[in-house]
Structures are given as C-alpha cells and as structure tokens.
Amino acid sequence: MKRILRLSRLPDLFIPAALLGASALGQPKGAALFFACLTAHALLSLFAGQALRVCFAAQPSLRGVRGSVKLTLLLQAAALPVALLIARFTRLNEISALWAYLCAGCLYNIEHTFYEYLDALGDRHGAALCEGISALLLMTGLCLTGGPDGTGSGLQPLWLIAFSALSALIAAAAGLVSGAFSKGKVNAKVLSASPRAALQTLLYPAAFVPTLFLPLGCGASVAFFGGLALYALCRTPFRRSPSESSPMNRGLALICAACALLSALSHLTGFLKPAQETNIYAGFNLTYACLALALAALCAFALYGNISKAER
C-alpha cells in the first residue's frame, strides 16, 4: 500500500470525501451542483488552479512558483463575474441559489491554489491541515444550505458562502505567512499546463455522465464522489514511470475485479432487486457504486498508468 501511495497525496481525498459525506447526509443535489460550479469556474479560469501541480513539477524556482500563483489568482478572480453574467443571461439563473454555489466554487478554487502553493513550498503538514479544515467546512456549509430544488430559506445559501470564504481565508493566511509571497513576477507558465490539467480534471466526470442514462435508480451522487475520491488519490502531474505505476496498476486491477465480483454476487443472491429496493439507505446503490469505482480506476489507469517495462 505504501508503494501505491508513493506519489499520491492523501489530502487530495478530502474534498471528494466531503462531497461524498454531504451526499450521504441528504444533500446529493447540493453536492452535485457545487461540484458542477467548481468545475465551471475552473473552466472559466482556464484550469489554472488545477494546472499548478503540473506547473510546479517543472518549475524549480520559488520566484517562478509565486508568479504562477499570482496569475492563477487573477484568472480565478476574473472568472467569477464572467460565471455570474453567464448564469444571469441564460436559463441557468433560474436554479435556486446558483449564485451562492458559483461564489463557493470560486472560493474553493482559490483555497486549492494556496493548498498547492503550500505543498510546493514543502509545508505538506500545513497543506494537509488547510485542506482538511476546508473539507469539514465544505461539508458543514452544504448540510446547512437549502438544496438547489428551492428548499430552505433565503438566508441559508449564505452559510455555504461564509464557510467557503473562511476556508479560502485560512488557506490564504497560511500561504502568505510563509513569507516572500510578493517576490516573483507574474508569469504565464501555468497556462502551458492548462490543457493537461483540463484533461485530468474532466476525464472521469465526462466518462461518468453516460451512466446517468442507465436504469440504475438513485445513488448517482454518492457513487460519483466515491469514484472521484479514488481518481483523486491516483492523480500525479505526469504519467507514472513503469516502476511507480506497477503497484498502482495492480491495485486498480484488484478494485475492478472486486467491483465486478460484488455486482455479480449481488445479482446472483437477489440482493439487488427493483430500483426502490437497491438502496441500503437513501442515495446509495451498490451497482452504481461498483460501476463508478471501476470507471474511476480505468480513467486513472488511462492517465497515470504505465505498462512499459523500460524506464526512461
């Protein structure tokens, strides 16, 4: 297991786990809408926040790192009004409290930027602590916020914004306290990593979308975020080398085999019956969960796995 996690960062699991928790606690629509807004804001900011990890891997100078972070923050600040304007002039604005989820998505992308910055500085404990606090605040904010179906009072979306702002402030404070943040000129190197970051960010969600049309009943949100957690754990800036990929490949193959076996056994034993009876509790479907995990494993292998035997 240690070899499988060698290049992985455990804090990458925290936000997907928070969204999984919010879905399991009765906010599946809110968690799904938040993730959609988070991804939409990342798209409008050219995936700069997600590209930082790729950029930092090839950018040894701390001055260059700080310059990339500055450009990322500028892009993220500019993306929010664009997102709000797009929502205002389209029918998307009819979704209840969409503005709150868009603002929260922006704030969590800013938090992620400082999380990557702290990790690049070598302060992995500080980065993990900030990400853990942010995950707890996110799950709390989603649980206190009225759902996107219009439930709840008009003040409830402010909880999500308040907790999102607090998480961004904590991460920003931790990053700025590290010192010398003002050094380093703004540079556009992060933009060269944006295409790779876009592929890494969108592959699993795009692959999951067709499953929404399958007759699997409910449980899509919980299944999706469970798969997202696995996908995030495997993420690295670039494809792993053969020696680094080998234990990950075996782990992913084992997960796929276990998912197939669980699904087969559940059907043979009659555990999975009509859609209404497939739930261990509201929002969970074993077939959906197995499908999402297997799909996430395949996407992770496609991007980060390596079957070559020769080291480069």
Side-chain angles (χ1 to χ4, degrees):
M1 180 59 72
K2 289 183 179 180
R3 291 186 64 194
I4 295 176
L5 299 178
R6 180 180 174 185
L7 296 181
S8 301
R9 298 189 311 200
L10 187 61
D12 289 345
L13 284 173
F14 293 168
I15 296 299
L19 294 172
L20 175 63
S23 296
L25 292 174
Q27 287 290 348
K29 292 182 179 179
L33 182 59
F34 170 82
F35 180 80
C37 291
L38 183 76
T39 305
H41 181 268
L43 173 63
L44 292 173
S45 61
L46 305 178
F47 293 97
Q50 290 70 24
L52 282 174
R53 188 173 180 182
V54 178
C55 180
F56 291 166
Q59 197 174 37
S61 168
L62 279 180
R63 287 180 179 269
V65 165
R66 295 185 183 108
S68 296
V69 170
K70 290 175 184 178
L71 178 62
T72 298
L73 294 174
L74 290 173
L75 289 171
Q76 290 172 339
L80 178 58
V82 174
L84 292 172
L85 283 173
I86 292 174
R88 173 67 179 82
F89 292 106
T90 62
R91 297 186 65 180
L92 291 174
N93 200 46
E94 297 176 3
I95 300 176
S96 177
L98 179 65
W99 62 275
Y101 287 90
L102 286 172
C103 291
C106 172
L107 290 166
Y108 268 93
N109 271 315
I110 291 173
E111 182 276 333
H112 181 78
T113 297
F114 283 104
Y115 160 64
E116 294 287 356
Y117 175 57
L118 284 170
D119 188 82
L121 292 179
D123 186 7
R124 295 198 168 185
H125 293 294
L129 181 60
C130 287
E131 193 77 347
I133 292 173
S134 296
L136 289 174
L137 291 173
L138 173 59
M139 186 166 64
T140 304
L142 285 171
C143 290
L144 292 176
T145 300
D149 54 357
T151 59
S153 69
L155 290 178
Q156 283 184 315
L158 295 179
W159 283 113
L160 181 60
I161 295 179
F163 283 115
S164 301
L166 182 58
S167 68
L169 284 173
I170 291 173
L176 295 176
V177 163
S178 63
F181 185 77
S182 60
K183 297 181 180 179
K185 295 181 180 180
V186 174
N187 64 76
K189 289 186 178 180
V190 69
L191 296 180
S192 64
S194 291
R196 181 184 293 271
L199 178 61
Q200 292 177 344
T201 303
L202 297 177
L203 180 61
Y204 168 66
F208 184 85
V209 167
T211 69
L212 299 175
F213 301 97
L214 297 176
L216 293 175
C218 61
S221 182
V222 172
F224 173 77
F225 292 122
L228 185 66
L230 172 63
Y231 184 67
L233 185 63
C234 296
R235 189 165 188 171
T236 53
F238 306 101
R239 188 178 296 276
R240 296 172 186 243
S241 69
S243 62
E244 294 164 343
S245 179
S246 180
M248 186 192 77
N249 293 348
R250 291 194 294 269
L252 294 178
L254 183 61
I255 289 173
C256 289
C259 288
L261 181 61
L262 275 176
S263 295
L265 286 176
S266 63
H267 281 286
L268 290 174
T269 58
F271 177 73
L272 294 182
K273 295 184 181 176
Q276 293 82 0
E277 300 179 30
T278 61
N279 307 319
I280 296 177
Y281 63 90
F284 181 80
N285 181 300
L286 182 60
T287 300
Y288 228 146
C290 289
L291 177 60
L293 286 173
L295 193 60
L298 291 174
C299 290
F301 173 75
L303 283 181
Y304 312 115
N306 198 327
I307 58 175
S308 173
K309 295 182 179 180
E311 295 283 352
R312 294 182 180 181

